[in-house]
Amino acid sequence: MTPVLQLAKVTRIHGTDETAVTALCDVDLVVHAGELVAVMGPSGSGKSTLLNLAGGLDTPTSGQVLVRGTDLAGLSPKTLARLRRETLGFVFQDLNLIPSLTAAENVALPLELGGTPARKARGRALGALESVGIVDLADRFPENMSGGQQQRAAIARALIGERELILADEPTGALDSQTGDAVLHVLREKCDAGAAGLLVTHEARHAAWADRVVFLRDGVVIDTTGDPATPDSLLCEPSR
Ligand code: ADP
Ligand code: MG
């Protein structure tokens, strides 16, 4: 079966010459439909770089990022934008709800951009808000919502529609633990329903929801038991 996400020998070097930072080095990763994979590692280990590459928001210096077997590097900007809108769901630490839209409008936006009629999109947005426990805030603007409420709306927006690949970068960062658990529950449900998920988290408690945990250190994948990098990957230590 073709994996939903595959990274093949992906290296990402930010900057050039003396300022070059190897954020990821020779990373191989496969995530299948129905799987939730957690990514853990210290700050600066390349977790966000990995997620941005998986979502086509950044391009590798070398190696390939394949979504459903298609190399993202070969897609036109327009096709890549459609893939992001329809196939991928992003949940970032930085909330980017649109301030001039209500919670329901923010959540409905990806569907409307994809051509779903407004009424139907609103109905589904309300369902998504319900699943994260804030349907009563549907008509509020972001400025009238707490950080945690905004984060829940951002999660509802990321998960609405038929997402095949969900990329979550510390999605529970701004949340109290109860809300964080609720969000993980929704993410787990989406994966059980057939989505592939990649979750960056600091919390072992949240990683426990995942089928597998990938540990990164200095841009290199070390195994799930946290063993030191193999000699092979040490050949490729970051140039910092
Ligand atoms: P994490 O999410 O695990 O904290 P990041 O992927 O954000 O790690 O960063 C990995 C490394 O790459 C860090 O050393 C960081 O400073 C560097 N880095 C990330 N993005 C950029 C960028 N746009 N330009 C230069 N360096 C970057
Ligand atoms: Mg990060």
Side-chain angles (χ1 to χ4, degrees):
M1 195 173 55
T2 308
V4 176
L5 174 68
Q6 180 169 17
L7 273 68
K9 287 186 100 50
V10 165
T11 294
R12 176 64 168 111
I13 300 170
H14 293 293
T16 52
D17 304 329
E18 313 88 67
T19 62
V21 173
T22 305
L24 280 184
C25 184
D26 254 351
V27 168
D28 288 312
L29 177 67
V30 169
V31 187
H32 286 283
E35 256 190 328
L36 178 60
V37 175
V39 180
M40 301 188 83
S43 180
S45 58
K47 304 181 298 295
S48 293
T49 299
L50 174 66
L51 244 70
N52 290 340
L53 289 166
L57 297 172
D58 188 12
T59 50
T61 305
S62 64
Q64 290 178 303
V65 178
L66 307 151
V67 173
R68 287 177 305 180
T70 302
D71 188 344
L72 296 187
L75 299 180
S76 68
K78 196 175 163 186
T79 310
L80 186 59
R82 182 149 45 92
L83 179 90
R84 276 202 216 105
R85 202 168 60 228
E86 295 176 357
T87 306
L88 308 186
F90 289 101
V91 192
F92 290 118
Q93 222 167 3
D94 298 328
L95 308 163
N96 51 357
L97 293 178
I98 297 170
S100 59
L101 299 180
T102 65
E105 288 165 349
N106 264 285
V107 175
L109 189 62
L111 297 180
E112 292 199 53
L113 290 173
T116 304
R119 268 179 67 105
K120 193 172 169 197
R122 179 173 168 87
R124 291 175 67 183
L126 294 178
L129 287 169
E130 175 97 67
S131 74
V132 294
I134 55 164
V135 70
D136 50 320
L137 306 180
D139 297 318
R140 280 210 201 164
F141 290 95
E143 64 178 355
N144 297 322
M145 298 164 69
S146 71
Q149 290 164 347
Q150 289 183 42
Q151 185 74 331
R152 292 206 229 180
I155 283 151
R157 184 181 58 186
L159 302 183
I160 200 168
E162 310 300 317
R163 309 309 179 129
E164 286 181 59
L165 176 59
I166 297 164
L167 303 168
D169 197 347
E170 303 189 46
T172 58
L175 304 178
D176 59 83
S177 67
Q178 199 186 348
T179 312
D181 288 350
V183 164
L184 262 294
H185 191 74
V186 173
L187 186 58
R188 183 69 255 181
E189 271 182 355
K190 280 276 178 180
C191 292
D192 289 342
L198 199 54
L199 163 75
V200 171
T201 181
H202 275 122
E203 295 187 52
R205 197 162 57 85
H206 288 155
W209 290 74
D211 299 300
R212 274 188 289 134
V213 184
V214 169
F215 288 94
L216 278 179
R217 198 192 59 201
D218 292 341
V220 177
V221 173
I222 56 177
D223 76 16
T224 55
T225 56
D227 282 351
T230 61
D232 247 15
S233 55
L234 284 174
L235 289 175
C236 198
E237 278 288 291
S239 55
R240 266 180 292 152

